[in-house]
């Protein structure tokens, strides 16, 4: 029997070292495992940061105090970081004084230890490389922690397996993101970023700061779909919710090059693509659905849809998609395709917590859970999330023009609370209303009603709805408002715009996406507005 006294262990270690010419790992000796770490590199890095200013500027954004393994090193880097943020010089004396004032000098090893760190540095040329190795060891420690936690949860029968899966993906995603973003930021850092972003916005002549919808007037009021925002687009059936959002997705992807993820819970991916093809090629949707195309229409189709093959649009038509599945799919698409816009068609067809605990059998609570999760998803992935929503039947029973209201949102008031923007799509023609109160024609038109907008004004926008092509497009001009949100059309008040129509010069009038241009046989003077 081998002895387990210290001298035996020492002999075993020396024997292992001599055979392989490498130091024996403690795990090979039956002494367990140590967390991944690189204390020597941590010492060299901290010493270099206190010697020269240039290496500090290169790695200060890569590292955090918790990145270091030893507590003493965490305190030292925290002092270096504090001095850097205060624009104070970083050297042995200033770091020593900072630690002393904050009562951390003893925890950091004392003045003698700080002096040892700087005395051991022979060169500062490899600081960035050392920092990356330290970060790698930190990530490994995080992965070990997460995997241990997941393993513990997996052994518990009371925990829902899909919740474990979602938590694992969320933790892994946060590990990847946390090495780029900070968990917290000081007011000075945030202000600097805000000013930089404001300067960038000022340089943009288009005025768009988010993902464009391709609808000129709508983008003018919203400046595009903004990152981290939840946008709810609601309407009664038959108003063209899907047509509107598919048109917007096409515009964002093709005309502006933004990657879009479209989750269709109602229609199949083929049906959605057929709608895009109908709108792009300007071939009636009914003909495409039946496959009854004339020879010239086949040629027209192939000519106009070539660019669709390169469109960064990713469609998922999984039915009854749960919020857990949606988050997992979106994280993968963000990592693999760098999606910049997420669209869900539509919210009421989603399911909430698969374990049933979150919703407790109450559909209203489940919808509230889904809307909160969508807002969290927008913030987590730093992209705008657009969710279509149904309205209840109260709009049908109301008299008057039957315009939707926030109280009409179906099944949950939490949708209104969580959303940054709530838009309604309203087509008066659907209810047999073809003229406004002033007698102007509003046939073939749809109104985008901005009912809630946390970041801007509540301005309504009129769009042209071309039913046979299942698409929305810009009007040639926006109606004048009479103060009550009703459109007033009077060509005599348009001045130069009206004369451009009469002269046949409409190039300066139509703006935005090419898809928003009317069909070839469209005559603005004869079309009903």
């Amino acid at each position: 029997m081998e002895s387990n006294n210290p001298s035996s262990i020492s002999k075993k270690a020396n024997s292992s070292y001599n055979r392989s010419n490498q130091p024996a790992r403690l795990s090979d000796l039956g002494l367990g495992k140590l967390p991944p770490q690189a204390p020597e590199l941590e010492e060299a890095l901290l010493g270099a940061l206190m010697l020269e200013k240039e290496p500090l500027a290169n790695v200060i954004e890569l590292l955090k105090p918790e990145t270091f393994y030893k507590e003493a090193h965490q305190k030292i880097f925290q002092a270096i970081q504090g001095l850097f943020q205060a624009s104070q010089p970083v050297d042995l004396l200033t770091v020593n004084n900072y630690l002393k004032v904050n009562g951390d000098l003893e925890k950091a090893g004392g003045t003698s230890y700080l002096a040892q760190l700087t005395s051991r540095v022979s060169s500062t040329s490899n600081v960035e490389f050392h920092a990356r190795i330290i970060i790698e060891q930190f990530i490994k420690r995080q992965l070990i922690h997460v995997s241990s936690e997941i393993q513990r949860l997996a052994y518990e029968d009371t925990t829902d397996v899909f919740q474990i899966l979602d938590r694992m993906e969320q933790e892994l995603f946060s590990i990847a993101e946390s090495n780029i973003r900070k968990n917290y930021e000081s007011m000075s850092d945030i202000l600097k970023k805000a000013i930089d972003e404001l300067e960038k916005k000022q340089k943009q002549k288009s005025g768009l700061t988010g993902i464009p919808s391709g609808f000129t007037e709508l983008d003018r009021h919203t400046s595009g779909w903004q990152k981290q925002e939840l946008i709810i687009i609601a309407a009664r059936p038959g108003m063209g919710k899907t047509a509107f959002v598919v048109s917007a997705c096409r515009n964002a992807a093709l005309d502006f090059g933004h990657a879009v993820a479209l989750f269709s819970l109602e229609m199949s991916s083929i049906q959605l693509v057929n709608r895009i093809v109908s709108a792009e090629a300007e071939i009636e949707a009914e003909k495409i659905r039946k496959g009854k195309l004339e020879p010239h229409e086949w040629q027209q189709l192939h000519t106009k849809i070539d660019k669709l093959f390169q469109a960064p649009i990713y469609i998922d038509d999984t039915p009854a998609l749960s919020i857990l599945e949606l988050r997992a799919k979106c994280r993968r698409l963000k990592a693999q395709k760098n999606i910049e816009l997420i669209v869900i068609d539509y919210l009421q067809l989603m399911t909430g917590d698969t374990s049933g605990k979150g919703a407790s059998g109450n559909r209203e609570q489940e919808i509230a859970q889904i809307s909160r999760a969508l807002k969290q998803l927008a913030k987590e992935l730093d992209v705008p999330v657009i969710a279509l929503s149904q309205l209840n039947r109260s709009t049908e029973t109301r008299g008057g023009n039957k315009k939707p209201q926030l109280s009409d949102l179906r099944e949950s008031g939490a949708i209104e609370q969580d959303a940054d923007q709530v838009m309604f799509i309203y087509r008066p023609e659907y209810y047999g209303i073809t003229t406004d109160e002033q007698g102007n024609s509003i046939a073939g038109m749809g109104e985008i009603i901005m009912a809630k907008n946390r970041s801007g004004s509540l301005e309504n926008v009129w769009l042209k709805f071309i039913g046979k092509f299942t698409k929305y497009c810009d009007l040639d001009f926006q109606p004048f408002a009479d103060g009550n949100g009703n459109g007033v059309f009077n060509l005599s008040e348009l001045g130069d715009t009206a004369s451009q129509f009469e002269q046949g010069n409409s190039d300066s009038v139509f703006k935005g996406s090419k898809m928003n241009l009317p069909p070839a046989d469209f005559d603005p003077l004869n079309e009903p507005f």
Side-chain angles (χ1 to χ4, degrees):
M1 178 180 296
E2 293 187 13
S3 173
N4 288 327
N5 60 46
S7 60
S8 275
I9 294 175
S10 177
K11 290 177 183 179
K12 186 186 291 186
N14 289 333
S15 173
S16 175
Y17 183 91
N18 293 334
R19 285 196 302 269
S20 62
N21 293 326
Q22 293 292 335
R25 294 180 302 176
L26 292 178
S27 58
D28 297 334
L29 307 177
L31 299 180
K33 296 180 179 180
L34 286 175
Q37 55 186 288
E40 298 85 359
L41 292 181
E42 291 182 5
E43 293 172 0
L45 174 69
L46 292 172
L49 297 185
M50 288 187 287
L51 283 179
E52 291 190 18
K53 183 177 180 180
E54 185 177 349
L56 178 59
N58 293 335
V59 301
I60 192 69
E61 293 296 325
L62 299 175
L63 300 168
K64 296 172 288 188
E66 58 267 28
T67 308
F68 295 84
Y69 179 70
K70 294 181 66 175
E71 183 184 3
H73 296 166
Q74 292 177 4
K75 296 295 183 182
I76 295 170
F77 183 77
Q78 194 171 9
I80 293 172
Q81 190 180 55
L83 290 167
F84 180 84
Q85 290 178 348
S87 300
Q88 298 295 322
V90 177
D91 56 37
L92 177 60
L93 295 178
T94 57
V95 171
N96 185 81
N97 185 65
Y98 187 98
L99 290 168
K100 188 175 181 180
V101 170
N102 288 276
D104 291 329
L105 183 58
E106 186 177 346
K107 293 179 182 178
T111 304
S112 60
Y113 184 68
L114 292 177
Q116 289 178 21
L117 293 179
T118 55
S119 64
R120 292 176 183 175
V121 178
S122 58
S123 172
T124 60
S125 58
N126 297 322
V127 167
E128 193 169 350
F129 180 74
H130 293 165
R132 296 192 180 279
I133 295 177
I134 293 170
I135 292 170
E136 287 176 6
Q137 302 305 311
F138 171 63
I139 293 173
K140 288 179 181 179
R141 294 198 298 272
Q142 286 185 302
L143 291 174
I144 290 171
H145 173 74
V146 170
S147 59
S148 299
E149 182 67 10
I150 295 301
Q151 187 178 34
R152 182 185 67 80
L153 293 173
Y155 276 108
E156 293 184 6
D157 293 334
T158 57
T159 308
D160 183 78
V161 66
F162 292 105
Q163 286 185 329
I164 297 175
L165 185 63
D166 179 63
R167 178 170 176 176
M168 181 183 69
E169 289 188 330
Q170 187 173 5
E171 292 281 357
L172 290 174
F173 186 84
S174 65
I175 289 174
E177 291 293 295
S178 65
N179 290 285
I180 301 173
R181 303 176 186 172
K182 294 181 179 178
N183 292 328
Y184 63 89
E185 293 178 293
S186 67
M187 188 64 180
S188 61
D189 288 335
I190 299 172
L191 278 174
K192 289 176 184 176
K193 291 183 179 180
I195 297 300
D196 290 342
E197 188 174 329
L198 188 60
E199 290 175 351
K200 290 179 182 177
K201 290 177 180 179
Q202 189 176 14
K203 294 177 182 178
Q204 292 179 349
K205 296 180 180 179
S206 64
L208 293 174
T209 58
I211 306 299
S213 68
F215 303 117
T216 307
E217 281 299 308
L218 183 61
D219 286 336
R220 187 170 67 84
H221 293 309
T222 64
S223 297
W225 315 117
Q226 300 297 316
K227 292 179 179 179
Q228 300 189 6
E229 289 195 350
L230 173 61
I231 301 103
I232 299 295
I233 299 175
R236 287 293 295 156
M239 292 292 146
K241 294 188 300 296
T242 303
F244 172 81
V245 80
V246 166
S247 297
C249 286
R250 179 266 172 212
N251 296 341
L254 274 185
D255 293 339
F256 298 95
H258 297 289
V260 178
L262 176 54
F263 293 89
S264 176
L265 286 77
E266 185 178 31
M267 302 173 63
S268 71
S269 56
I270 297 296
Q271 288 175 311
L272 277 178
V273 169
N274 283 342
R275 285 196 171 204
I276 297 175
V277 168
S278 171
E280 190 71 22
E282 293 186 350
I283 298 173
E284 292 183 25
E286 186 176 355
K287 287 187 175 183
I288 292 178
R289 185 168 59 250
K290 294 179 179 179
K292 303 295 183 182
L293 272 64
E294 301 295 333
H296 72 277
E297 289 176 325
W298 276 108
Q299 185 177 359
Q300 179 179 337
L301 184 146
H302 286 292
T303 301
K304 292 198 173 184
I305 68 169
D306 277 348
K307 55 185 175 181
L308 287 179
F309 286 99
Q310 307 301 324
I313 301 176
Y314 306 96
I315 300 174
D316 186 311
D317 60 0
T318 304
L321 189 67
S322 72
I323 193 63
L324 298 180
E325 292 174 311
L326 177 70
R327 281 202 295 254
K329 289 172 182 284
C330 288
R331 287 174 191 142
R332 284 194 288 270
L333 281 169
K334 179 67 175 177
Q336 297 171 5
K337 305 297 182 182
N338 192 29
I339 54 171
E340 299 174 86
L341 175 65
I342 297 172
V343 178
I344 297 104
D345 182 14
Y346 59 90
L347 188 148
Q348 279 79 11
L349 291 179
M350 292 189 66
T351 58
D353 187 351
T354 53
S355 68
K357 297 176 184 176
S360 302
N362 187 310
R363 181 58 179 167
E364 185 172 338
Q365 291 180 14
E366 187 178 9
I367 292 295
Q369 179 197 45
I370 292 170
S371 69
R372 283 193 297 270
L374 292 179
K375 175 59 181 176
Q376 292 168 0
L377 181 66
K379 294 192 69 175
E380 179 183 341
L381 299 186
D382 194 32
V383 299
V385 173
I386 300 174
L388 302 190
S389 177
Q390 290 280 21
L391 297 177
N392 57 41
R393 292 189 178 91
S394 60
T395 54
E396 310 292 336
T397 58
R398 273 201 303 266
N401 56 22
K402 301 185 184 298
K403 283 191 176 184
Q405 304 170 359
L406 285 172
S407 58
D408 297 329
L409 284 170
R410 183 175 169 184
E411 290 182 314
S412 178
I415 298 176
E416 175 188 349
Q417 178 182 332
D418 295 325
D420 296 281
Q421 291 182 0
V422 177
M423 300 180 187
F424 296 127
I425 302 177
Y426 171 64
R427 289 200 302 115
E429 189 177 16
Y430 182 84
Y431 298 105
I433 303 172
T434 56
T435 58
D436 62 11
E437 295 178 358
Q438 285 71 36
N440 299 292
S441 176
I442 51 177
M445 292 174 55
E447 186 178 13
I448 308 301
I449 302 172
M450 183 70 75
K452 178 184 178 182
N453 186 8
R454 279 181 180 158
S455 304
S457 60
L458 303 179
E459 299 284 346
N460 299 344
V461 174
W462 287 88
L463 298 175
K464 182 74 176 177
F465 177 68
I466 307 176
K468 62 181 180 180
F469 300 147
T470 61
K471 74 171 180 178
Y472 277 90
C473 62
D474 277 342
L475 285 177
D476 51 322
F477 60 89
Q478 285 295 312
F480 296 97
D482 64 357
N484 298 317
N486 299 310
V488 180
F489 299 91
N490 190 341
L491 283 177
S492 64
E493 298 181 31
L494 291 179
D496 294 338
T497 304
S499 65
Q500 287 172 354
F501 280 131
E502 292 170 358
Q503 296 169 8
N505 179 19
S506 60
D507 291 342
S508 61
V509 181
F510 293 100
K511 301 176 182 177
S513 165
K514 293 179 181 178
M515 184 180 181
N516 294 330
L517 292 174
D521 58 353
F522 178 78
D523 185 348
L525 291 177
N526 295 327
E527 281 286 320
F529 288 108

